[in-house]
Amino acid sequence: MPRPRAFDERQVLERAREQFWATGYAGTRMDDIAQATGLGKGSLYGAFGDKGKLFHRVFGDWCTAVVEVAEERLAGGPDAEALARLSGYVHLMAENTASDTEHRGCLLAKGAAELAERDPTVAERSAETMTALLTLLRTEIGAAQRHGDIDSAADPERLAALLLTVVRGIEAVGKAGLDPETVRNIADTALAVLPLPEGQKRLATGHSPARGG
């Protein structure tokens, strides 16, 4: 009968994630993970496998969390509130980036940039995450179109791809040091270019910081 693990697996994974996030996959050694978690390398290998398998676990958990945050904001509901849900999500992503004073960016973006070209597991998980986000955005855009807040003649797939690119791009430029107010203004501009039904005027609204996620 195997002995129960004498450590908190979630805590170990969180500390491993912080190490990978700070130094990247290539720049992280199992010795670094051992020091960060307080576990011996033998315990790490026994519980999670080699460095690649441990990163896949951390990366997969992160991707799941990214989708869960989007689902909290884009969870569906009355069509009349769809545009507000879209706005809340885009502003949330901008505010999270604006408040990232360490400019660490997103582990999804960092991991995909470093490994997707040569690691099929990372590439597949990244693509699955982007597809899930695209689907959530497209669904809300369709709801806003049904309610008459977005031009029904516009292609919801293209609009969803535009918003997804803006959201992910915001993280990239924020990590590069773009000032927080400009980051917030990008979110406002992206929402402002969503096409209105013919003859409808857009209400003038500025960004309203959305916390959480």
Side-chain angles (χ1 to χ4, degrees), residues 186-209:
I186 291 170
D188 289 338
T189 302
L191 292 164
V193 300
L194 293 175
L196 294 173
E198 187 175 354
Q200 183 173 321
K201 293 183 179 180
R202 192 180 305 276
L203 297 176
T205 57
H207 61 259
S208 52

Side-chain angles (χ1 to χ4, degrees), residues 171-196:
E171 294 172 344
V173 297
K175 185 176 185 297
L178 202 63
D179 69 272
E181 192 62 20
T182 300
V183 168
R184 296 182 179 107
N185 288 337
I186 291 170
D188 289 338
T189 302
L191 292 164
V193 300
L194 293 175
L196 294 173

Side-chain angles (χ1 to χ4, degrees), residues 9-25:
E9 182 176 287
R10 181 179 295 275
Q11 185 179 71
V12 170
L13 288 170
E14 287 176 353
R15 290 179 179 176
R17 179 196 66 202
E18 292 296 313
Q19 187 65 50
F20 282 124
W21 200 0
T23 56
Y25 179 79

Side-chain angles (χ1 to χ4, degrees), residues 41-148:
K41 287 195 293 183
S43 295
L44 287 170
Y45 283 119
F48 305 105
D50 61 18
K51 185 177 84 166
K53 290 180 180 178
L54 177 57
F55 182 80
H56 289 161
R57 175 72 180 274
V58 168
F59 187 76
D61 288 349
W62 181 275
C63 289
T64 296
V66 166
V67 175
E68 287 176 348
V69 168
E71 288 174 338
E72 289 174 3
R73 295 284 172 162
L74 307 173
D79 288 357
E81 299 171 5
L83 186 59
R85 292 192 293 269
L86 282 167
S87 177
Y89 175 66
V90 173
H91 282 134
L92 172 67
M93 295 297 100
E95 192 60 31
N96 285 349
T97 298
S99 61
D100 179 15
T101 56
E102 296 181 11
H103 302 305
R104 291 199 299 177
C106 175
L107 186 61
L108 168 57
K110 293 179 73 171
E114 183 178 5
L115 296 172
E117 186 176 354
R118 55 188 173 84
D119 187 323
T121 299
V122 170
E124 182 178 356
R125 196 68 175 86
S126 300
E128 288 174 353
T129 303
M130 292 299 112
T131 298
L133 296 176
L134 190 65
T135 298
L136 289 166
L137 289 165
R138 183 178 62 241
T139 298
E140 294 291 12
I141 289 169
Q145 288 177 306
R146 288 193 299 271
H147 188 254

